[in-house]
Amino acid sequence: MKLIRLKQAGLIAVLGVLSLTFMAQSGCDKAKSAAVANNRYLESLQHFRDAEKSEYEAGHISDEQQGRIIQAERDANEAAKDLNKAIGLAQSGADPKQYVDAAELSFSQMEAVVGKDNQALDALVRVSGDLLKNAISLDQALAAQKGGN
Amino acid sequence: MNADQVVSLLDTALRLEPIAFDLVLKFASSLKGKSADEVRALNDSLSSQLDSELDADQAELDANVAAKKKS
């Protein structure tokens, strides 16, 4: 029963990503779509942190792993900050590429650390990664639109 | 993936399920009525909050490691 709810939760999250993409492609405010997508990414990081903390407190993660994961979470949070800056730049017509590249690099550092430590947490990281990619693609669509104006 | 790994993965997934479900509820919450700049400001605030929580997690880890060294 719980597994079915988890599958439903995953399905709803995917539908959320698809609806955000549809909003962007159907002419809704692209800047807001990108900002909302980054907000979803940040929410997923917050939940990752909550999940990871309970795993650590339950003794499923060693102190050494915990130190590496905290640093990885900081990197992933930096990705969100970089992307927020990129969206602001794209809104004003400037090139957000340097911040998008920085966001991708920060997040890849998190993927490299967490995947080795815990399979379930790795699954959560993949959800965050998909949300980050979605936010980046919306930011790039915004930059292309502003660049074309 | 062997059977033990599958069982272990399912066990962890069930432990994390309430957190995943709460995440979906958050996704359903609306940012309607907020401008792009307002959502970006909210994002900055969420990032700062996460920074503070990670500082607290690091302090807790340091304290745990120190306590284990003492004992």
Side-chain angles (χ1 to χ4, degrees):
Chain A
M1 187 65 184
K2 282 186 172 182
L3 189 62
I4 291 170
R5 277 180 60 195
L6 191 60
K7 282 182 181 171
Q8 286 171 337
L11 183 63
I12 293 169
V14 169
L15 288 175
V17 170
L18 289 177
S19 65
L20 282 169
T21 308
F22 176 75
M23 270 171 63
Q25 288 176 346
S26 62
C28 290
D29 181 345
K30 285 190 166 64
K32 183 170 173 186
S33 297
V36 169
N38 196 25
N39 183 273
R40 299 317 189 209
Y41 166 64
L42 268 165
E43 293 281 8
S44 75
L45 287 188
Q46 181 66 58
H47 282 75
F48 173 85
R49 180 259 173 188
D50 294 346
E52 188 278 326
K53 189 173 166 62
S54 20
E55 286 288 280
Y56 174 63
E57 286 172 351
H60 299 126
I61 291 175
S62 70
D63 289 339
E64 188 198 347
Q65 287 172 325
Q66 175 69 348
R68 281 189 280 130
I69 290 176
I70 288 173
Q71 185 52 51
E73 288 170 312
R74 287 191 198 281
D75 290 337
N77 194 23
E78 287 306 311
K81 291 178 192 173
D82 285 328
L83 197 56
N84 225 27
K85 286 177 194 155
I87 294 166
L89 279 180
Q91 248 183 307
S92 65
D95 185 2
K97 189 175 182 310
Q98 71 175 102
Y99 287 111
V100 170
D101 289 348
E104 285 177 329
L105 178 64
S106 297
F107 191 78
S108 69
Q109 285 163 347
M110 179 174 185
E111 285 179 311
V113 168
V114 175
K116 291 174 191 164
D117 287 338
N118 185 307
Q119 285 180 329
L121 291 179
D122 182 42
L124 284 176
V125 166
R126 271 185 257 141
V127 170
S128 296
D130 287 345
L131 290 167
L132 179 69
K133 281 176 201 155
N134 185 56
I136 286 174
S137 69
L138 292 175
D139 179 58
Q140 286 168 335
L142 171 67
Q145 181 193 41
K146 293 285 178 179
N149 286 343
Chain B
M1 190 181 278
N2 64 34
D4 285 347
Q5 286 172 318
V6 171
V7 170
S8 159
L9 182 59
L10 285 176
D11 178 54
T12 315
L14 288 176
R15 283 202 310 275
L16 299 180
E17 184 262 354
I19 292 168
F21 194 71
D22 188 44
L23 176 62
V24 173
L25 290 181
K26 281 274 176 67
F27 279 4
S29 70
S30 177
L31 292 168
K32 225 184 264 179
K34 288 191 164 58
S35 69
D37 286 340
E38 285 171 331
V39 177
R40 285 182 54 236
L42 181 64
N43 291 348
D44 280 336
S45 155
L46 283 174
S47 279
S48 298
Q49 184 190 326
L50 190 54
D51 271 336
S52 305
E53 288 171 353
L54 292 173
D55 287 344
D57 290 349
Q58 184 66 55
E60 182 187 337
L61 171 64
D62 292 343
N64 285 346
V65 170
K68 282 174 192 168
K69 272 185 186 165
K70 254 187 184 178
S71 59

mmCIF file of all heavy atoms in Angstrom, chain A residues 60-90:
data_model
loop_
_atom_site.group_PDB
_atom_site.id
_atom_site.type_symbol
_atom_site.label_atom_id
_atom_site.label_comp_id
_atom_site.label_asym_id
_atom_site.label_seq_id
_atom_site.Cartn_x
_atom_site.Cartn_y
_atom_site.Cartn_z
ATOM 1 N N HIS A 60 21.917 4.818 9.728
ATOM 2 C CA HIS A 60 22.125 4.178 8.417
ATOM 3 C C HIS A 60 23.225 4.864 7.608
ATOM 4 O O HIS A 60 23.554 4.405 6.517
ATOM 5 C CB HIS A 60 20.816 4.188 7.613
ATOM 6 C CG HIS A 60 19.707 3.434 8.274
ATOM 7 N ND1 HIS A 60 18.471 3.979 8.541
ATOM 8 C CD2 HIS A 60 19.664 2.173 8.777
ATOM 9 C CE1 HIS A 60 17.714 3.103 9.145
ATOM 10 N NE2 HIS A 60 18.415 1.989 9.311
ATOM 11 N N ILE A 61 23.733 5.986 8.126
ATOM 12 C CA ILE A 61 24.793 6.727 7.432
ATOM 13 C C ILE A 61 25.909 6.983 8.444
ATOM 14 O O ILE A 61 25.638 7.426 9.573
ATOM 15 C CB ILE A 61 24.239 8.058 6.876
ATOM 16 C CG1 ILE A 61 23.257 7.767 5.728
ATOM 17 C CG2 ILE A 61 25.357 8.975 6.395
ATOM 18 C CD1 ILE A 61 22.565 8.977 5.175
ATOM 19 N N SER A 62 27.148 6.687 8.047
ATOM 20 C CA SER A 62 28.274 6.869 8.978
ATOM 21 C C SER A 62 28.618 8.355 9.114
ATOM 22 O O SER A 62 28.196 9.178 8.292
ATOM 23 C CB SER A 62 29.494 6.112 8.463
ATOM 24 O OG SER A 62 29.987 6.767 7.301
ATOM 25 N N ASP A 63 29.422 8.673 10.142
ATOM 26 C CA ASP A 63 29.854 10.071 10.325
ATOM 27 C C ASP A 63 30.640 10.567 9.109
ATOM 28 O O ASP A 63 30.472 11.701 8.668
ATOM 29 C CB ASP A 63 30.732 10.194 11.585
ATOM 30 C CG ASP A 63 29.918 10.037 12.866
ATOM 31 O OD1 ASP A 63 28.687 10.238 12.820
ATOM 32 O OD2 ASP A 63 30.511 9.692 13.907
ATOM 33 N N GLU A 64 31.480 9.685 8.597
ATOM 34 C CA GLU A 64 32.304 10.081 7.446
ATOM 35 C C GLU A 64 31.423 10.392 6.226
ATOM 36 O O GLU A 64 31.615 11.396 5.538
ATOM 37 C CB GLU A 64 33.276 8.951 7.114
ATOM 38 C CG GLU A 64 34.289 9.346 6.062
ATOM 39 C CD GLU A 64 34.952 8.132 5.426
ATOM 40 O OE1 GLU A 64 34.813 7.029 5.946
ATOM 41 O OE2 GLU A 64 35.596 8.328 4.385
ATOM 42 N N GLN A 65 30.446 9.491 5.982
ATOM 43 C CA GLN A 65 29.521 9.721 4.860
ATOM 44 C C GLN A 65 28.733 11.007 5.083
ATOM 45 O O GLN A 65 28.503 11.783 4.148
ATOM 46 C CB GLN A 65 28.537 8.549 4.742
ATOM 47 C CG GLN A 65 29.148 7.277 4.204
ATOM 48 C CD GLN A 65 28.161 6.113 4.298
ATOM 49 O OE1 GLN A 65 27.375 6.030 5.247
ATOM 50 N NE2 GLN A 65 28.217 5.221 3.335
ATOM 51 N N GLN A 66 28.313 11.232 6.336
ATOM 52 C CA GLN A 66 27.505 12.415 6.651
ATOM 53 C C GLN A 66 28.262 13.701 6.305
ATOM 54 O O GLN A 66 27.690 14.639 5.746
ATOM 55 C CB GLN A 66 27.118 12.385 8.145
ATOM 56 C CG GLN A 66 26.363 13.609 8.654
ATOM 57 C CD GLN A 66 24.951 13.711 8.083
ATOM 58 O OE1 GLN A 66 24.591 13.006 7.154
ATOM 59 N NE2 GLN A 66 24.167 14.634 8.628
ATOM 60 N N GLY A 67 29.545 13.724 6.623
ATOM 61 C CA GLY A 67 30.359 14.896 6.310
ATOM 62 C C GLY A 67 30.397 15.160 4.813
ATOM 63 O O GLY A 67 30.260 16.305 4.364
ATOM 64 N N ARG A 68 30.542 14.063 4.042
ATOM 65 C CA ARG A 68 30.608 14.242 2.581
ATOM 66 C C ARG A 68 29.252 14.674 2.028
ATOM 67 O O ARG A 68 29.165 15.508 1.128
ATOM 68 C CB ARG A 68 31.060 12.931 1.917
ATOM 69 C CG ARG A 68 32.561 12.719 2.025
ATOM 70 C CD ARG A 68 33.029 11.554 1.187
ATOM 71 N NE ARG A 68 32.771 10.287 1.885
ATOM 72 C CZ ARG A 68 32.167 9.246 1.344
ATOM 73 N NH1 ARG A 68 31.750 9.291 0.118
ATOM 74 N NH2 ARG A 68 31.993 8.143 2.034
ATOM 75 N N ILE A 69 28.175 14.110 2.599
ATOM 76 C CA ILE A 69 26.836 14.441 2.083
ATOM 77 C C ILE A 69 26.477 15.894 2.412
ATOM 78 O O ILE A 69 25.897 16.599 1.580
ATOM 79 C CB ILE A 69 25.775 13.453 2.633
ATOM 80 C CG1 ILE A 69 25.992 12.076 1.996
ATOM 81 C CG2 ILE A 69 24.371 13.946 2.322
ATOM 82 C CD1 ILE A 69 25.080 10.990 2.512
ATOM 83 N N ILE A 70 26.845 16.357 3.614
ATOM 84 C CA ILE A 70 26.548 17.769 3.956
ATOM 85 C C ILE A 70 27.223 18.696 2.947
ATOM 86 O O ILE A 70 26.624 19.650 2.460
ATOM 87 C CB ILE A 70 26.991 18.093 5.399
ATOM 88 C CG1 ILE A 70 26.059 17.410 6.404
ATOM 89 C CG2 ILE A 70 26.987 19.613 5.643
ATOM 90 C CD1 ILE A 70 26.505 17.523 7.852
ATOM 91 N N GLN A 71 28.483 18.378 2.615
ATOM 92 C CA GLN A 71 29.183 19.217 1.628
ATOM 93 C C GLN A 71 28.484 19.139 0.267
ATOM 94 O O GLN A 71 28.331 20.147 -0.431
ATOM 95 C CB GLN A 71 30.652 18.773 1.502
ATOM 96 C CG GLN A 71 31.479 19.663 0.588
ATOM 97 C CD GLN A 71 31.394 21.153 0.936
ATOM 98 O OE1 GLN A 71 31.595 21.540 2.078
ATOM 99 N NE2 GLN A 71 31.058 21.992 -0.047
ATOM 100 N N ALA A 72 28.011 17.929 -0.085
ATOM 101 C CA ALA A 72 27.307 17.764 -1.363
ATOM 102 C C ALA A 72 26.011 18.577 -1.372
ATOM 103 O O ALA A 72 25.646 19.181 -2.386
ATOM 104 C CB ALA A 72 27.008 16.284 -1.593
ATOM 105 N N GLU A 73 25.313 18.603 -0.225
ATOM 106 C CA GLU A 73 24.074 19.384 -0.134
ATOM 107 C C GLU A 73 24.368 20.875 -0.294
ATOM 108 O O GLU A 73 23.597 21.616 -0.903
ATOM 109 C CB GLU A 73 23.382 19.114 1.203
ATOM 110 C CG GLU A 73 22.754 17.731 1.270
ATOM 111 C CD GLU A 73 22.274 17.369 2.664
ATOM 112 O OE1 GLU A 73 23.048 17.545 3.643
ATOM 113 O OE2 GLU A 73 21.130 16.940 2.793
ATOM 114 N N ARG A 74 25.502 21.295 0.263
ATOM 115 C CA ARG A 74 25.891 22.713 0.085
ATOM 116 C C ARG A 74 26.109 23.003 -1.405
ATOM 117 O O ARG A 74 25.699 24.039 -1.919
ATOM 118 C CB ARG A 74 27.173 23.021 0.863
ATOM 119 C CG ARG A 74 27.000 23.096 2.362
ATOM 120 C CD ARG A 74 28.260 23.673 3.004
ATOM 121 N NE ARG A 74 28.321 23.381 4.421
ATOM 122 C CZ ARG A 74 27.637 24.039 5.345
ATOM 123 N NH1 ARG A 74 26.844 25.020 4.994
ATOM 124 N NH2 ARG A 74 27.757 23.721 6.625
ATOM 125 N N ASP A 75 26.782 22.059 -2.097
ATOM 126 C CA ASP A 75 27.017 22.243 -3.542
ATOM 127 C C ASP A 75 25.686 22.353 -4.291
ATOM 128 O O ASP A 75 25.531 23.186 -5.187
ATOM 129 C CB ASP A 75 27.824 21.060 -4.109
ATOM 130 C CG ASP A 75 29.272 21.060 -3.607
ATOM 131 O OD1 ASP A 75 29.762 22.133 -3.212
ATOM 132 O OD2 ASP A 75 29.898 19.986 -3.612
ATOM 133 N N ALA A 76 24.749 21.470 -3.937
ATOM 134 C CA ALA A 76 23.456 21.472 -4.631
ATOM 135 C C ALA A 76 22.698 22.770 -4.354
ATOM 136 O O ALA A 76 22.001 23.300 -5.228
ATOM 137 C CB ALA A 76 22.630 20.271 -4.172
ATOM 138 N N ASN A 77 22.836 23.298 -3.135
ATOM 139 C CA ASN A 77 22.195 24.579 -2.800
ATOM 140 C C ASN A 77 22.848 25.720 -3.590
ATOM 141 O O ASN A 77 22.165 26.638 -4.043
ATOM 142 C CB ASN A 77 22.302 24.823 -1.287
ATOM 143 C CG ASN A 77 21.391 25.945 -0.809
ATOM 144 O OD1 ASN A 77 20.394 26.259 -1.454
ATOM 145 N ND2 ASN A 77 21.727 26.546 0.313
ATOM 146 N N GLU A 78 24.172 25.633 -3.763
ATOM 147 C CA GLU A 78 24.859 26.644 -4.589
ATOM 148 C C GLU A 78 24.321 26.609 -6.023
ATOM 149 O O GLU A 78 24.216 27.649 -6.673
ATOM 150 C CB GLU A 78 26.379 26.394 -4.604
ATOM 151 C CG GLU A 78 27.091 26.739 -3.301
ATOM 152 C CD GLU A 78 26.831 28.162 -2.819
ATOM 153 O OE1 GLU A 78 26.971 29.101 -3.626
ATOM 154 O OE2 GLU A 78 26.474 28.342 -1.638
ATOM 155 N N ALA A 79 23.975 25.395 -6.502
ATOM 156 C CA ALA A 79 23.411 25.284 -7.857
ATOM 157 C C ALA A 79 22.117 26.092 -7.954
ATOM 158 O O ALA A 79 21.883 26.791 -8.944
ATOM 159 C CB ALA A 79 23.157 23.817 -8.202
ATOM 160 N N ALA A 80 21.294 25.996 -6.911
ATOM 161 C CA ALA A 80 20.032 26.760 -6.913
ATOM 162 C C ALA A 80 20.298 28.259 -6.910
ATOM 163 O O ALA A 80 19.626 29.027 -7.605
ATOM 164 C CB ALA A 80 19.189 26.368 -5.694
ATOM 165 N N LYS A 81 21.298 28.676 -6.107
ATOM 166 C CA LYS A 81 21.622 30.117 -6.059
ATOM 167 C C LYS A 81 22.113 30.594 -7.425
ATOM 168 O O LYS A 81 21.724 31.674 -7.887
ATOM 169 C CB LYS A 81 22.710 30.380 -5.002
ATOM 170 C CG LYS A 81 22.246 30.175 -3.579
ATOM 171 C CD LYS A 81 23.428 30.413 -2.646
ATOM 172 C CE LYS A 81 23.146 29.949 -1.244
ATOM 173 N NZ LYS A 81 24.337 30.021 -0.377
ATOM 174 N N ASP A 82 22.984 29.786 -8.058
ATOM 175 C CA ASP A 82 23.503 30.163 -9.373
ATOM 176 C C ASP A 82 22.369 30.262 -10.391
ATOM 177 O O ASP A 82 22.336 31.180 -11.206
ATOM 178 C CB ASP A 82 24.545 29.136 -9.860
ATOM 179 C CG ASP A 82 25.878 29.296 -9.138
ATOM 180 O OD1 ASP A 82 26.221 30.435 -8.774
ATOM 181 O OD2 ASP A 82 26.574 28.288 -8.926
ATOM 182 N N LEU A 83 21.453 29.301 -10.315
ATOM 183 C CA LEU A 83 20.360 29.310 -11.284
ATOM 184 C C LEU A 83 19.443 30.512 -11.052
ATOM 185 O O LEU A 83 18.945 31.120 -12.009
ATOM 186 C CB LEU A 83 19.576 28.004 -11.189
ATOM 187 C CG LEU A 83 18.685 27.723 -12.383
ATOM 188 C CD1 LEU A 83 19.494 27.728 -13.681
ATOM 189 C CD2 LEU A 83 17.984 26.409 -12.237
ATOM 190 N N ASN A 84 19.233 30.868 -9.801
ATOM 191 C CA ASN A 84 18.401 32.056 -9.505
ATOM 192 C C ASN A 84 19.036 33.305 -10.136
ATOM 193 O O ASN A 84 18.333 34.151 -10.689
ATOM 194 C CB ASN A 84 18.258 32.218 -7.991
ATOM 195 C CG ASN A 84 16.824 32.523 -7.580
ATOM 196 O OD1 ASN A 84 15.883 32.139 -8.274
ATOM 197 N ND2 ASN A 84 16.655 33.216 -6.469
ATOM 198 N N LYS A 85 20.375 33.390 -10.021
ATOM 199 C CA LYS A 85 21.070 34.528 -10.650
ATOM 200 C C LYS A 85 20.919 34.459 -12.169
ATOM 201 O O LYS A 85 20.730 35.474 -12.833
ATOM 202 C CB LYS A 85 22.560 34.501 -10.279
ATOM 203 C CG LYS A 85 22.840 34.919 -8.859
ATOM 204 C CD LYS A 85 24.333 34.793 -8.574
ATOM 205 C CE LYS A 85 24.608 34.870 -7.074
ATOM 206 N NZ LYS A 85 25.840 34.202 -6.683
ATOM 207 N N ALA A 86 21.039 33.247 -12.724
ATOM 208 C CA ALA A 86 20.931 33.072 -14.178
ATOM 209 C C ALA A 86 19.561 33.537 -14.673
ATOM 210 O O ALA A 86 19.454 34.183 -15.720
ATOM 211 C CB ALA A 86 21.157 31.607 -14.539
ATOM 212 N N ILE A 87 18.513 33.225 -13.908
ATOM 213 C CA ILE A 87 17.162 33.618 -14.321
ATOM 214 C C ILE A 87 17.050 35.147 -14.323
ATOM 215 O O ILE A 87 16.488 35.748 -15.242
ATOM 216 C CB ILE A 87 16.094 32.979 -13.395
ATOM 217 C CG1 ILE A 87 16.108 31.461 -13.575
ATOM 218 C CG2 ILE A 87 14.703 33.539 -13.697
ATOM 219 C CD1 ILE A 87 15.358 30.692 -12.487
ATOM 220 N N GLY A 88 17.630 35.786 -13.285
ATOM 221 C CA GLY A 88 17.621 37.260 -13.225
ATOM 222 C C GLY A 88 18.337 37.862 -14.426
ATOM 223 O O GLY A 88 17.857 38.828 -15.034
ATOM 224 N N LEU A 89 19.483 37.263 -14.795
ATOM 225 C CA LEU A 89 20.244 37.774 -15.949
ATOM 226 C C LEU A 89 19.455 37.584 -17.242
ATOM 227 O O LEU A 89 19.386 38.484 -18.080
ATOM 228 C CB LEU A 89 21.587 37.034 -16.060
ATOM 229 C CG LEU A 89 22.723 37.502 -15.156
ATOM 230 C CD1 LEU A 89 23.959 36.652 -15.406
ATOM 231 C CD2 LEU A 89 23.055 38.973 -15.429
ATOM 232 N N ALA A 90 18.866 36.383 -17.384
ATOM 233 C CA ALA A 90 18.113 36.105 -18.615
ATOM 234 C C ALA A 90 16.921 37.048 -18.739
ATOM 235 O O ALA A 90 16.584 37.503 -19.832
ATOM 236 C CB ALA A 90 17.642 34.652 -18.612
#
